[in-house]
Amino acid sequence: MKQKLVVIGAGMASGRMLEHLFEAGGNFDVTLFNAEPRGNYNRLMLSPVLSGEKTYEQIVTHDADWYEAHSVDCRFGEPVVKIDRENRIVYSNAGGAPYDALVIATGSAPFIIPVPGKDLPGVCTYRDLEDTNAMIAASAPGTKAVVIGGGLLGLEAAAGMAARGAEVTVIHLMGHLMERQLDPAAGYLLQKDLEQRGIKVHCKGATKAILGEGRVEAVLLEDGTVYPADLVCMAVGIRPEVRLATDAHLEVGRGITVDDQMRTSDPSIFALGECVEHNGQLFGLVAPLYDQAKVLAATLLEQEAAFQPVQTATKLKVTGVDLFSAGDFADALGREDIVFRDPGRGIYKRLVLEGNQLMGAVMYGDTADGSWFFDLIKQRKDVSDLRDTLIFGPAFSGGASANPLAAVAALPPEAEICGCNGVCKGKIVTAIEAGATTLDAVRSTTKASASCGTCTGLVEQVMALTLGDGFSANANPPMCKCTDHTHEDVRRLIKSLGLKSIPAVMQELGWRTVGGCASCRPALNYYLIADWPTEYRDDRQSRFVNERNHGNIQKDGTYSVVPRMWGGVTTPAELRAIADAADRYAVPMVKVTGGQRIDLLGVKKEDLPAIWADLNAAGMVSGHAYAKGLRTVKTCVGSEFCRFGTQDSTGLGIKLEKLLWGSWTPAKVKLGVSGCPRNCAEATCKDIGVVCVDSGYEISVAGAAGMDVRETEFLCKVTTEAEVMEVIAAFTQLYRENARYLHRIYKWVAKVSLDWCRAQVEDPVTRRALYDRFMLSQSVYQTDPWAELAAKPADWAPVADLTLRAAE
Amino acid sequence: MTQFIDIAALDDIPRQGARVVKTPAGCIAIFRTGDDQIFALDDRCPHKGGPLSEGIVHGAQVTCPLHAWVFDLNTGLAQGADEGEVRTYAVRLEAGRVLLDAGFLARRSAA
Ligand SMILES: Cc1cc2nc3c(=O)[nH]c(=O)nc-3n(C[C@H](O)[C@H](O)[C@H](O)COP(=O)(O)OP(=O)(O)OC[C@H]3O[C@@H](n4cnc5c(N)ncnc54)[C@H](O)[C@@H]3O)c2cc1C
Ligand code: SF4
Ligand code: FES
């Protein structure tokens, strides 16, 4: 008698399994249930259907003739609702079917994030033909679609709808797209490609709610952003469809547990596909499912076979997007990276080696060698002989190497090289070609690098590119060992290329390391904060400890806490609160600082949030005593009390501090305001000093009283407090925008010249524009970090305490 | 003796950052790299005792916050010209939880 085989689910895995079974001449009476009202089709190809490159008919894998030829009893559109293991019958709502052997191949179900509005009409997932058709129907030109989830599925959905003319926004929870398959550099290139097709990408975006009355209208994020939407596609992940198996009391972990023969805990029930769990592993790509299909067919035919998961490789099926990821590219014991970037062609390749073996590969922009690398990974080949040229692939014939000039070579002619005089690359090239073959000649013909000189390095690189070997640049030391570019080049290129994230800078400027080092990361983080205050988001992990923890670390690992004391003025209530805090947290030393405030030294890290909260409660905020940013404004008593005072220096100092606090700068900034030339506030050895005189205010800059001691130099004289504020904010902004990281004002002024600085702040239009940019940045960054961080005290304590455990 | 104990969720540790675990033998820093690898090292720099957990994490290395010695998180060895070694501990990541080999505690109390 023929065996009765019942299969639940007509998907990719069961379709393949049935093929193997019939090809081997298996003698079964097959009943095939499917929840979808159709038979097996190639689910992977839904994306080309969505984008319009294929029709549904073209992706059907098994048609009516095939089922008939193999006498398959098709029960399509009939979801199975129950398995009766005792009597070996499965039930749909239309009736039962008895089995000798049962195969569960129910795949997986899309995960729905439990936010308000998730059930509104117009919200879909991306799993089957119905979803695909819903998206096709909704993506006429001019409609707006939001895709939640920037993984493989979400991006294919987004690209498909965009190809049909919809305006698509992708919201992704993590820092970069497809973070499970790509590293940040490749994720950045992918985002850039998608943005070029008009898809908007919002990373680090958490969905708070889907809004709409009776139908979706918009998506609201936790950060308050609202994206209007006619359709919302949720593609945030899948989970194995195990409900039937759970109800039938089969052994189920995250998926239905199967052994190497694809057998469940019931010997006559088998399972395969995305619904199973094998040795703790789940599956989400078809390659391993096809192997399962082979094994299960053999098992049913009573042949020997055992399933062994293979490595998988990922490609994104979006026409024109070229990415590849395979193997394991995580940092681990003894692993090494080989990185190749070609900014001009948008190429990034990274290989991860362990000993003599290739473990993983991530590639973007040029994936021609993907399968060759994948083979090396799978076969665990010894690559030691190939090592030096491995990254160039099997066709390597010598010669190619990373070119330090690549980033500049890739700049379009209209890219601005000299910011002061607005000179673009094309103009410099033209001048060089017309005979300006020395830096001075370029300077005098184009004015490029003729003002502050910061862009000299870049101008020289343009010359080297145009003149070839005939020119040797006056090499300045590079920023760090990760790059050939100087700080000045990097700053300039961040602006002219519009680079707005650390991975973007590292890719476009050809960084040699995967994630930078402790020297370049804080610098890049600062440059991006200063240049794109509203678009870039501060990366806390790229900051030095003091700024990350908002206190100065001491040699014993404790911190100092310094509340702001505006202009050095305090009140009895503040002093009491400080004294109380010092008592409560047993602060070992309370010290008056040179900047006219009080330092609480020796506070334990885990006490920081509490002491901050106490000081906040008394109305005090962080003094940023640890920051590359505004520190203090030291004042004298001035005309309010002093018989020599000419102006209200204390009041002005307070106003200046309230204007400038919270701003991040390349290095620390200290101010002083003295009420008369007797200069009791020592204003003339500060970064910026104001000395009041009868007729107004003398502003001088570039003093120092540290390793170097220098008197300030006169910048300008103004007559009102309002002008003092505008000049100083503008000058600070000039410094923020142009200096290299860690250079104090005096070092920067020595490079760009005081005359140039003065010309900028004396020109009313330039000054106003600088001031406005400063205020824009302040609108984002002038916040009290203590208040924000004190709210999460748990983050400051140890994650675990094993001291008690040991005592047991 | 290996004895893995659950100490935290992966997400309690910031990417490219660290958190510490207190033990009777001093603090252990649990590092998480940009690509979610986990490492455990003594939270004490062999130079002058800097808390390595507060350093900048780049690739699978950390730079000490006090005087910028760089350590390989895999081996605990100082990089470049500096010489020194930090003790490392076995850690495992399982279903989003971080497990630390606390065998050293047992050894300690047996001693
Ligand atoms: C749009 C899209 C693109 C993809 N692209 C790729 C790719 O490029 N590469 C890749 O490797 N993978 C890709 N995948 C993943 C791949 O499609 C899946 O891994 C594969 O389809 C899983 O096969 P399966 O047989 O386990 O499940 P499925 O193919 O999902 O089949 C399960 C079937 O069971 C039915 N079912 C569920 N419950 C019941 C029930 N109670 N009764 C009856 N029937 C039921 C379902 O309706 C479904 O038809 C993609 C997936 C999607 C959705
Ligand atoms: S600087 Fe002049 S105004 Fe200020 S305290 Fe000294 S003497 Fe008085
Ligand atoms: S204490 Fe770590 S480098 Fe000095």
Side-chain angles (χ1 to χ4, degrees):
Chain A
M1 209 187 82
K2 267 192 174 182
Q3 274 214 61
K4 288 196 194 65
L5 175 67
V6 171
V7 179
I8 309 176
M12 307 272 317
S14 67
R16 185 56 74 92
M17 187 276 294
L18 289 174
E19 278 173 30
H20 287 305
L21 203 60
F22 293 135
E23 268 163 31
N27 197 16
F28 292 91
D29 257 339
V30 177
T31 306
L32 178 58
F33 284 91
N34 200 19
E36 287 182 68
R38 60 186 70 84
N40 305 75
Y41 60 93
N42 188 343
R43 195 174 301 286
L44 276 59
M45 288 294 138
L46 285 174
S47 292
V49 172
L50 175 59
S51 64
E53 288 158 274
K54 277 196 162 44
T55 62
Y56 171 66
E57 288 66 35
Q58 289 173 303
I59 69 165
V60 170
T61 50
H62 301 79
D63 56 15
D65 292 346
W66 188 87
Y67 295 121
E68 203 183 305
H70 297 96
S71 320
V72 176
D73 176 13
C74 298
R75 310 278 286 267
F76 299 156
E78 270 188 52
V80 168
V81 292
K82 186 176 163 206
I83 301 170
D84 176 352
R85 282 168 58 187
E86 206 157 312
N87 301 305
R88 298 200 180 175
I89 304 176
V90 302
Y91 291 95
S92 77
N93 285 330
Y99 64 82
D100 299 311
L102 174 65
V103 171
I104 306 178
T106 45
S108 50
F111 189 76
I112 310 278
I113 34 177
V115 290
K118 67 180 177 14
D119 300 321
L120 283 171
V123 179
C124 71
T125 55
Y126 192 18
R127 184 72 196 170
D128 56 24
L129 186 64
E130 277 69 29
D131 295 327
T132 311
N133 285 336
M135 284 190 272
I136 292 175
S139 24
T143 56
K144 292 188 168 59
V146 169
V147 175
I148 304 176
L152 202 73
L153 279 188
L155 296 181
E156 290 188 7
M161 289 192 278
R164 289 185 180 265
E167 271 176 46
V168 184
T169 303
V170 176
I171 294 163
H172 189 52
L173 191 59
M174 307 308 289
H176 67 269
L177 295 173
M178 290 182 65
E179 80 286 348
R180 300 211 344 239
Q181 294 90 9
L182 302 182
D183 61 8
Y188 155 76
L189 285 172
L190 172 60
Q191 176 167 348
K192 190 169 136 185
D193 258 357
L194 294 173
E195 283 168 349
Q196 263 160 16
R197 303 160 186 245
I199 297 172
K200 187 172 164 54
V201 177
H202 185 132
C203 286
K204 296 190 187 161
T207 306
K208 187 170 186 184
I210 299 174
L211 311 175
E213 299 236 342
R215 216 200 128 68
V216 290
E217 287 164 21
V219 175
L220 169 70
L221 304 192
E222 293 284 355
D223 67 10
T225 318
V226 174
Y227 289 109
D230 303 306
L231 176 125
V232 174
C233 175
M234 262 198 216
V236 292
I238 52 175
R239 63 173 164 213
E241 180 53 272
V242 297
R243 282 175 296 180
L244 283 174
T246 312
D247 292 349
H249 302 291
L250 292 173
E251 193 181 317
V252 175
R254 285 178 299 157
I256 305 168
T257 314
V258 292
D259 61 15
D260 289 353
Q261 281 67 47
M262 311 313 296
R263 198 183 304 259
T264 68
S265 54
D266 178 330
S268 48
I269 303 183
F270 304 84
L272 85 166
E274 280 182 349
C275 59
V276 307
E277 176 176 332
H278 175 263
N279 278 341
Q281 194 187 345
L282 299 178
F283 304 88
L285 293 171
V286 287
L289 307 191
Y290 287 164
D291 290 341
Q292 293 178 358
K294 225 180 271 173
V295 171
L296 178 51
T299 306
L300 291 171
L301 293 164
E302 289 170 13
Q303 296 163 358
E304 294 250 326
F307 172 64
Q308 269 204 336
V310 289
Q311 301 236 35
T312 51
T314 310
K315 280 204 155 203
L316 186 68
K317 299 191 301 302
V318 173
T319 312
V321 169
D322 217 4
L323 71 78
F324 178 88
S325 134
D328 177 2
F329 45 89
D331 293 320
L333 191 72
R335 289 201 177 166
E336 265 178 275
D337 288 305
I338 304 178
V339 178
F340 173 79
R341 311 193 196 225
D342 183 338
R345 293 186 294 145
I347 291 173
Y348 171 73
K349 298 185 191 183
R350 172 176 168 208
L351 301 178
V352 181
L353 294 169
E354 189 174 307
N356 294 329
Q357 283 181 12
L358 184 60
M359 303 304 293
V362 193
M363 289 190 267
Y364 197 93
D366 171 9
T367 57
D369 301 328
S371 39
W372 186 67
F373 289 129
F374 190 33
D375 249 21
L376 294 180
I377 295 171
K378 278 194 296 196
Q379 299 178 7
R380 303 174 170 278
K381 279 217 178 103
D382 182 338
V383 295
S384 37
D385 293 345
L386 304 169
R387 203 186 152 95
D388 290 345
T389 59
L390 188 63
I391 195 132
F392 301 108
F396 177 73
S397 54
S401 66
N403 179 357
L405 295 176
V408 176
L411 285 178
E414 63 277 11
E416 193 177 80
I417 299 278
C418 171
C420 299
N421 298 306
V423 187
C424 63
K425 177 181 163 192
K427 197 165 164 194
I428 298 171
V429 171
T430 313
I432 300 168
E433 285 167 353
T437 52
T438 64
L439 188 59
D440 281 341
V442 171
R443 275 191 184 141
S444 56
T445 45
T446 65
K447 294 185 93 179
S449 92
S451 295
C452 79
T454 307
C455 62
T456 307
L458 284 183
V459 173
E460 287 178 336
Q461 290 183 41
V462 174
M463 297 182 69
L465 279 167
T466 318
L467 296 171
D469 293 341
F471 178 84
S472 66
N474 198 354
N476 275 318
M479 190 162 160
C480 66
K481 63 185 186 334
C482 306
T483 176
D484 293 317
H485 293 290
T486 64
H487 279 271
E488 286 74 16
D489 294 0
V490 170
R491 285 217 80 168
R492 192 64 233 141
L493 291 168
I494 283 175
K495 274 186 255 185
S496 53
L497 293 172
L499 307 177
K500 296 182 184 167
S501 66
I502 291 180
V505 175
M506 291 183 177
Q507 172 59 28
E508 300 296 350
L509 306 187
W511 242 243
R512 274 188 296 264
T513 50
V514 179
C517 67
S519 160
C520 59
R521 282 240 310 279
L524 293 180
N525 188 50
Y526 167 72
Y527 294 154
L528 292 163
I529 284 175
D531 288 340
W532 315 108
T534 57
E535 288 152 289
Y536 176 71
R537 254 179 281 172
D538 184 19
D539 177 20
R540 220 175 143 234
Q541 298 309 137
S542 290
R543 286 186 177 275
F544 288 122
V545 55
N546 290 354
E547 290 183 354
R548 189 167 356 100
N549 289 342
H550 294 277
N552 277 311
I553 194 165
Q554 308 296 318
K555 65 176 192 180
D556 61 354
T558 63
Y559 291 83
S560 68
V561 172
V562 185
R564 211 167 263 296
M565 222 166 245
W566 308 99
V569 176
T570 184
T571 63
E574 282 185 356
L575 290 173
R576 255 180 226 113
I578 292 172
D580 286 345
D583 275 345
R584 191 166 309 132
Y585 302 100
V587 171
M589 162 130 68
V590 181
K591 185 180 180 315
V592 173
T593 73
Q596 301 184 333
R597 45 197 191 171
I598 293 175
D599 194 346
L600 303 169
L601 288 142
V603 181
K604 289 196 277 303
K605 185 181 176 194
E606 54 261 46
D607 285 339
L608 287 173
I611 194 167
W612 293 339
D614 288 1
L615 294 170
N616 276 164
M620 286 174 274
V621 298
S622 164
H624 291 91
Y626 45 79
K628 318 251 175 281
L630 178 86
R631 295 282 179 89
T632 55
V633 181
K634 187 169 177 177
T635 65
C636 73
V637 290
S639 59
E640 285 292 280
F641 289 93
C642 176
R643 63 203 163 104
F644 298 112
T646 61
Q647 313 279 358
D648 177 14
S649 50
T650 320
L652 177 59
I654 292 173
K655 282 184 203 149
L656 281 169
E657 190 162 351
K658 294 217 157 151
L659 174 73
L660 301 173
W661 77 280
S663 60
W664 298 104
T665 44
K668 62 185 168 186
V669 172
K670 295 181 175 178
L671 271 67
V673 184
S674 288
C676 83
R678 284 169 191 76
N679 195 12
C680 296
E682 294 154 1
T684 54
C685 63
K686 298 285 182 262
D687 297 282
I688 302 176
V690 180
V691 175
C692 305
V693 291
D694 281 323
S695 54
Y697 306 86
E698 291 174 357
I699 303 172
S700 60
V701 297
M707 280 212 272
D708 288 316
V709 181
R710 295 179 41 126
E711 192 181 337
T712 52
E713 293 178 70
F714 178 73
L715 180 72
C716 63
K717 183 175 165 186
V718 295
T719 51
T720 65
E721 282 194 343
E723 286 172 289
V724 175
M725 314 259 284
E726 187 174 309
V727 167
I728 289 181
F731 179 80
T732 306
Q733 182 66 10
L734 194 66
Y735 169 56
R736 298 182 68 228
E737 289 176 1
N738 291 283
R740 61 178 270 190
Y741 190 61
L742 302 185
H743 268 191
R744 291 284 292 267
I745 285 182
Y746 74 96
K747 280 204 177 151
W748 163 68
V749 168
K751 284 193 105 151
V752 300
S753 88
L754 187 62
D755 287 344
W756 178 78
C757 296
R758 187 180 299 119
Q760 308 305 304
V761 297
E762 275 185 346
D763 174 55
V765 178
T766 311
R767 175 165 83 212
R768 192 69 212 177
L770 283 164
Y771 177 82
D772 288 344
R773 290 202 292 281
F774 182 75
M775 294 315 285
L776 175 71
S777 171
Q778 288 296 74
S779 72
V780 179
Y781 284 100
Q782 196 170 61
T783 58
D784 178 25
W786 287 359
E788 209 178 303
L789 296 167
K792 287 187 246 156
D795 289 357
W796 302 80
V799 265
D801 188 343
L802 304 183
T803 47
L804 301 172
R805 197 186 158 88
E808 275 165 16
Chain B
M1 185 184 73
T2 333
Q3 180 200 357
F4 278 98
I5 54 174
D6 184 321
I7 49 163
L10 176 64
D11 286 333
D12 291 336
I13 307 168
R15 278 222 169 96
Q16 296 189 309
R19 294 290 297 274
V20 299
V21 174
K22 251 189 171 158
T23 84
C27 284
I28 295 177
I30 312 289
F31 292 91
R32 175 179 181 186
T33 65
D35 48 11
D36 289 351
Q37 291 295 296
I38 296 290
F39 298 97
L41 282 79
D42 267 340
D43 192 23
R44 249 187 88 78
C45 177
H47 177 218
K48 290 190 176 175
L52 295 175
S53 58
E54 301 293 3
I56 289 183
V57 178
H58 40 97
Q61 300 184 328
V62 64
T63 297
C64 176
L66 292 197
H67 317 94
W69 282 26
V70 178
F71 296 89
D72 186 329
L73 295 174
N74 290 307
T75 59
L77 286 173
Q79 304 293 293
D82 300 317
E83 274 180 38
E85 183 172 0
V86 189
R87 171 158 180 201
T88 61
Y89 300 85
V91 258
R92 250 186 19 216
L93 195 56
E94 223 163 70
R97 303 291 306 179
V98 177
L99 311 182
L100 172 71
D101 177 7
F104 66 97
L105 287 181
R107 270 196 299 282
R108 203 181 128 83
S109 41

